[in-house]
Amino acid sequence: MIVAQNLTDRLSMIQSARRIENYHYAIRHLAGAAEALTRSGREVIYLNIGDPQVYGFRPPEHIVEPVIRALENSFTGYTHSAGLREAREAVANYATRLGAPTVPDQVLITSGASEAADILLTALLNEGDEVLLPAPGYPIYPAILSKLGAATRYYHLDGANAWQPSVEEITSLISVRTRALILINPNNPTGSITSDEVTKQLLELALRHNLLVIADEVYRELCFEKSPTPSSVMAEPMGVALVTLESLSKTHLVPGWRTGWMRFTHADKTRDLIQAVYRLAGGRLCAPTPTQYAVRPALEGQRNFQLDFISELRKRRDFAVQRVRNIKGLSCDVPQAAFYLMIKVDSLGERTDERFVLDLLEETSVLVVHGSGFGTDPQQGYFRMVYLADEATLDIVFSRLGRFLEKY
Ligand SMILES: Cc1ncc(COP(=O)(O)O)c(C=O)c1O
């Protein structure tokens, strides 16, 4: 009787699609466990999401004001699905100033770089196509690929070599099904910068194998040292078909505005793809309208606020790195950009990195993200910490972490 009832219950359940079975986004995935702790009355320190606003950083007035004006003047209808003309012009001018001549028709404004990645990969890939991705790297890419039935081919960033990719390894991963090479520079979660020399070799490789290069450069303006040359600038004279993904989220401290874009370099080589991208973009109508009015002032206005942000970040980075190095059993490189620290636990024993992160949360109420959520081996023992929090909070975090490790 009970068995029959269970079966009836199961049959009457609305099932989800099989294609999202492998859709994982580790950064938010663990938040469920943390929220359960919060509900039980514990105060959790969230160091899992790269959102500067959570830690008190605010966007500059010169980009907030035009958005307020747009709202007050009811500039709140749909825009053209490729984006507001003035925003596309501003991105094209910005790219041209960098050294990658671009016209507005080569720009699509999107809901952040995330939507740009989704639209672009959907327009590009058939089931079974392969894409080369960095491991560790930003997890939205494998998630999108799994949804599309495309295959992720990870190339490794070497923790023992300042997280540089190996051109030889990437070459060995290319097959007849490989369609694209994704570069994330600077990278999340390592905060590392790929040298221009290696990037150039990778662009040559992509050219030889007719691969589209997708360059995620959302952190390019947030470097503690010389920023890498935009890959679009290198791709231009080489004749490489390349799409750059950028946004205001991190560079202008407004991740919730959902304002970003993709811009094409050597659009002559991607005409068909661009048309497919615009067709898909038409189906989702447009990116949020009011915040598109911030794109021009963001790209043309002053950047002092960015220098202040970087200098504040540098202090927090140095503090965090020093504290990690003072804890026995932990190690890390000094990040060159962004606000993430990839920390290695020397010995996890039989435990996975995800187990470690959950135990850490349970014991110390500190939430970080396990390295395997970004594509490292679970036994390697990495976790990523966002170090945007103020020094007093980081001090509490590292004291708890130190005590936790003594026992673990
Ligand atoms: C490397 C990388 N690319 C893209 C994104 C998505 O950013 P956006 O807010 O522009 O969608 C993030 C967000 O953390 C990121 O780290």
Side-chain angles (χ1 to χ4, degrees):
M1 223 12 218
I2 291 172
V3 173
Q5 184 59 45
N6 281 348
L7 189 63
T8 319
D9 284 354
R10 251 205 358 255
L11 289 176
S12 60
M13 282 270 270
I14 308 291
Q15 301 290 331
S16 61
R18 272 193 305 278
R19 71 173 171 279
I20 63 123
E21 265 165 21
N22 292 317
Y23 191 96
H24 297 296
Y25 185 69
I27 299 167
R28 296 219 172 207
H29 179 68
L30 284 175
E35 280 156 15
L37 276 193
T38 307
R39 277 196 300 277
S40 74
R42 295 253 295 269
E43 202 177 311
V44 175
I45 303 179
Y46 288 86
L47 298 180
N48 62 322
I49 293 192
D51 181 347
Q53 294 230 359
V54 172
Y55 306 94
F57 294 100
R58 292 290 173 261
E61 198 47 40
H62 72 276
I63 72 163
V64 175
E65 197 269 335
V67 177
I68 294 175
R69 224 174 331 121
L71 289 167
E72 282 173 351
N73 293 324
S74 294
F75 292 160
T76 46
Y78 296 127
T79 63
H80 187 288
S81 42
L84 205 63
R85 186 77 197 171
E86 69 158 70
R88 297 173 76 199
E89 273 171 10
V91 173
N93 292 342
Y94 166 77
T96 305
R97 279 199 307 280
L98 288 175
T102 304
V103 296
D105 285 350
Q106 289 164 245
V107 177
L108 176 82
I109 307 290
T110 54
S111 291
S114 311
E115 193 197 31
D118 200 344
I119 292 178
L120 179 63
L121 291 167
T122 306
L124 177 72
L125 299 171
N126 290 309
E127 267 184 47
D129 283 348
E130 297 174 8
V131 176
L132 300 161
L133 269 185
Y138 187 55
I140 199 69
Y141 294 104
I144 295 170
L145 294 181
S146 80
K147 187 178 72 167
L148 295 173
T152 297
R153 292 283 170 261
Y154 281 121
Y155 61 88
H156 296 94
L157 305 183
D158 184 1
N161 180 27
W163 300 108
Q164 294 300 301
S166 146
V167 180
E168 290 74 37
E169 189 203 7
I170 297 178
T171 309
S172 75
L173 291 169
I174 296 174
S175 80
V176 286
R177 298 300 313 257
T178 313
R179 302 289 316 284
L181 167 63
I182 296 184
L183 308 177
I184 308 176
N185 195 23
N187 185 42
N188 173 6
T190 57
S192 57
I193 295 176
T194 305
S195 71
D196 284 357
E197 198 184 313
V198 171
T199 301
K200 185 155 184 287
Q201 289 174 36
L202 294 177
L203 297 186
E204 279 162 1
L205 185 67
L207 188 63
R208 276 204 302 283
H209 292 271
N210 196 29
L211 307 181
L212 178 73
V213 178
I214 300 173
D216 176 331
E217 298 185 356
V218 301
Y219 298 106
R220 202 183 50 77
E221 292 180 2
L222 297 180
C223 295
F224 301 114
E225 47 201 74
K226 189 174 169 296
S227 294
T229 304
S231 49
S232 51
V233 174
M234 288 194 243
E236 170 63 33
M238 295 170 69
V240 177
L242 181 138
V243 187
T244 306
L245 312 183
E246 289 161 326
S247 71
L248 299 185
S249 297
K250 317 286 178 170
T251 57
H252 290 74
L253 311 166
V254 286
W257 283 12
R258 311 310 301 128
T259 302
W261 54 85
M262 69 176 95
R263 55 180 173 89
F264 288 81
T265 302
H266 275 291
D268 50 319
K269 300 198 166 179
T270 47
R271 272 196 212 103
D272 187 56
L273 176 65
I274 293 178
Q275 270 182 18
V277 159
Y278 284 154
R279 272 222 305 284
L280 285 175
R284 77 9 160 173
L285 305 180
C286 66
T289 298
T291 52
Q292 291 191 46
Y293 285 93
V295 174
R296 183 189 291 282
L299 296 181
E300 294 174 6
Q302 56 90 356
R303 298 294 181 112
N304 293 342
F305 75 95
Q306 227 174 38
L307 298 177
D308 293 344
F309 181 46
I310 292 170
S311 120
E312 194 51 49
L313 280 179
R314 183 193 297 276
K315 284 189 223 151
R316 295 176 194 203
R317 174 197 71 167
D318 292 346
F319 179 78
V321 168
Q322 210 220 326
R323 292 296 298 265
V324 168
R325 292 183 171 173
N326 284 340
I327 296 177
K328 195 160 164 278
L330 293 186
S331 56
C332 70
D333 275 346
V334 181
Q336 298 163 292
F339 27 70
Y340 308 106
L341 198 53
M342 197 64 162
I343 302 174
K344 186 165 166 48
V345 187
D346 274 354
S347 162
L348 275 188
E350 292 298 298
R351 287 168 286 229
T352 61
D353 55 3
E354 186 169 1
R355 185 69 263 154
F356 174 84
V357 163
L358 287 169
D359 290 345
L360 181 71
L361 173 67
E362 182 58 42
E363 281 285 313
T364 67
S365 304
V366 172
L367 180 63
V368 293
V369 184
H370 49 297
S372 54
F374 301 93
T376 56
D377 185 326
Q379 248 69 48
Q380 276 182 297
Y382 281 106
F383 67 91
R384 186 197 78 170
M385 178 186 283
V386 170
Y387 59 79
L388 282 164
D390 57 34
E391 211 168 289
T393 308
L394 290 176
D395 185 40
I396 294 171
V397 166
F398 284 110
S399 301
R400 289 187 195 170
L401 189 56
R403 283 198 298 275
F404 173 74
L405 273 161
E406 272 170 29
K407 285 191 284 168
Y408 202 65

